[in-house]
Amino acid sequence: MKISTSLFYKTSTDQMTSQQSKVSTLQAKLGTGTQILKPSDDTGKAATISRLESARAKQGTYLSNVETAQTRLTMEEASIESMTSVMQRITELNIQAASDTASQMDRKIIATEISALRDELLKMLNTQDTNGDYIFSGSKVRTPAFTKGEDGAVIYSGDQSRSNVNVSEVRTIEVNTLGTDLFSSKDFVRLDALVTNLEDDNGDEIRKSLGAMNEISDKLIIAFGKMAGRATAVETQRQAIEDIDLRLQQVLSSEKDLDYASAVTELTRESVALQALQASFSKVAQLSLFNYIR
């Protein structure tokens, strides 16, 4: 059968174009490191990759929420620990002043220290984060948790709102401690009364204050325990999120990432085939039609 020159050229060109396309595609995949260059290459795989990437993005959001919660809880932990230490010192001073061996001057000196410690407690209760938000005010983050009225009385100025963060599709964790979990207006009245009784050298009332100081300390210990429980829950969730993200990343890699060793081998094979086609075409094209037919 005779083969026309035009048919020969067309067939050869189509073969080389197809082979060049394979080589170019493999080179592009090696350049991007992905198995598919565009969704139309493999719609099923592209859909799977999209779902996996969306799932990883969600985990990233949850992880960001967890990190924000941990920052908040770390600040709470430091503040409550400091308050607890201050109350321990106040209790120690109360015990010293309750002794019958304590002189009037001793009690006045202790009154001065406890008064300063009370003011320090108020500052701690009005701790602000890096954004300037008051961490113990509930949702009223721009309002100090505790303020002094014109009569000198300390009152809680925040609200009772609890903050929750989404840490998974089905779970939220409460992250904030309210000022009222730590102190109440009544507790500051008790502290003020202790200072007054110390200044008045009233031994009986000073001894009665021991129970009130222990109650305040116990309240702080309970609040710290609840905060620590939330911190543990958040850290556990962080680990869960990181585990889930790692598994998603592994699956995504298997669907999306290119096997470089196999791709290089395939590229070498297809490149050799292309070179063979080009060499064959070049040699045959150099023949005259007469020699080719003969």
Side-chain angles (χ1 to χ4, degrees):
M1 180 180 71
K2 293 183 179 181
I3 301 176
S4 68
T5 301
S6 60
L7 178 60
F8 164 72
Y9 273 96
K10 183 179 185 305
T11 301
S12 298
T13 300
D14 289 345
Q15 289 176 336
M16 285 189 291
T17 300
S18 175
Q19 196 64 30
Q20 181 63 59
S21 177
K22 291 179 182 179
V23 171
S24 297
T25 297
L26 285 167
Q27 290 174 332
K29 287 182 178 180
L30 284 167
T32 61
T34 57
Q35 295 182 33
I36 60 175
L37 299 175
K38 53 185 182 296
S40 59
D41 291 342
D42 188 330
T43 55
K45 185 180 288 291
T48 299
I49 290 173
S50 178
R51 287 194 297 270
L52 289 168
E53 289 177 336
S54 177
R56 283 203 69 201
K58 285 184 179 179
Q59 296 307 310
T61 298
Y62 297 142
L63 185 58
S64 177
N65 290 346
V66 163
E67 290 172 346
T68 299
Q70 287 186 312
T71 299
R72 168 63 176 267
L73 289 167
T74 298
M75 291 192 67
E76 288 191 8
E77 178 181 4
S79 296
I80 299 174
E81 280 184 339
S82 296
M83 290 181 219
T84 302
S85 296
V86 168
M87 280 308 306
Q88 288 174 346
R89 177 57 180 165
I90 289 175
T91 301
E92 290 172 0
L93 292 170
N94 195 166
I95 292 172
Q96 292 176 23
S99 172
D100 290 332
T101 61
S103 66
Q104 183 177 11
M105 181 57 67
D106 291 336
R107 287 172 174 168
K108 284 186 177 295
I109 293 172
I110 290 174
T112 300
E113 183 174 351
I114 289 180
S115 179
L117 292 172
R118 175 201 56 200
D119 292 342
E120 190 63 25
L121 284 170
L122 185 58
K123 291 179 182 178
M124 293 175 184
L125 286 165
N126 288 331
T127 296
Q128 294 171 275
D129 62 18
T130 55
N131 296 319
D133 294 339
Y134 292 92
I135 66 174
F136 297 121
S137 294
S139 65
K140 297 173 68 175
V141 295
R142 290 299 175 180
T143 302
F146 287 88
T147 56
K148 279 187 176 182
E150 294 182 359
D151 58 356
V154 177
I155 59 172
Y156 179 63
S157 300
D159 60 26
Q160 299 299 313
S161 297
R162 301 285 181 179
S163 298
N164 295 277
V165 295
N166 294 325
V167 294
S168 77
E169 292 184 355
V170 295
R171 187 182 187 191
T172 60
I173 295 179
E174 182 182 299
V175 296
N176 69 320
T177 298
L178 299 177
T180 49
D181 296 332
L182 306 169
F183 277 86
S184 66
S185 299
K186 179 182 176 182
D187 294 328
F188 280 99
V189 170
R190 289 172 169 179
L191 287 169
D192 287 341
L194 174 57
V195 172
T196 299
N197 290 324
L198 287 165
E199 291 173 340
D200 293 343
D201 194 25
N202 189 334
D204 288 340
E205 292 300 321
I206 291 171
R207 283 184 280 275
K208 289 180 182 178
S209 293
L210 285 170
M213 297 306 106
N214 286 330
E215 286 180 11
I216 295 173
S217 294
D218 289 345
K219 190 175 183 180
L220 287 172
I221 292 171
I222 292 171
F224 184 88
K226 290 180 179 179
M227 180 279 305
R230 294 195 294 273
T232 298
V234 169
E235 176 57 28
T236 299
Q237 190 62 34
R238 170 198 273 278
Q239 295 173 5
I241 291 171
E242 289 176 345
D243 288 343
I244 292 171
D245 185 61
L246 178 59
R247 291 196 293 272
L248 286 172
Q249 185 177 5
Q250 291 170 340
V251 175
L252 179 60
S253 178
S254 68
E255 293 289 336
K256 182 178 181 180
D257 295 346
L258 187 69
D259 183 338
Y260 275 91
S262 298
V264 169
T265 300
E266 186 178 358
L267 176 60
T268 300
R269 184 175 63 248
E270 297 297 344
S271 295
V272 169
L274 175 60
Q275 291 170 2
L277 278 173
Q278 291 171 334
S280 176
F281 175 78
S282 178
K283 289 180 179 180
V284 174
Q286 291 175 4
L287 296 175
S288 67
L289 180 59
F290 175 79
N291 289 333
Y292 179 77
I293 295 174
R294 189 178 63 175

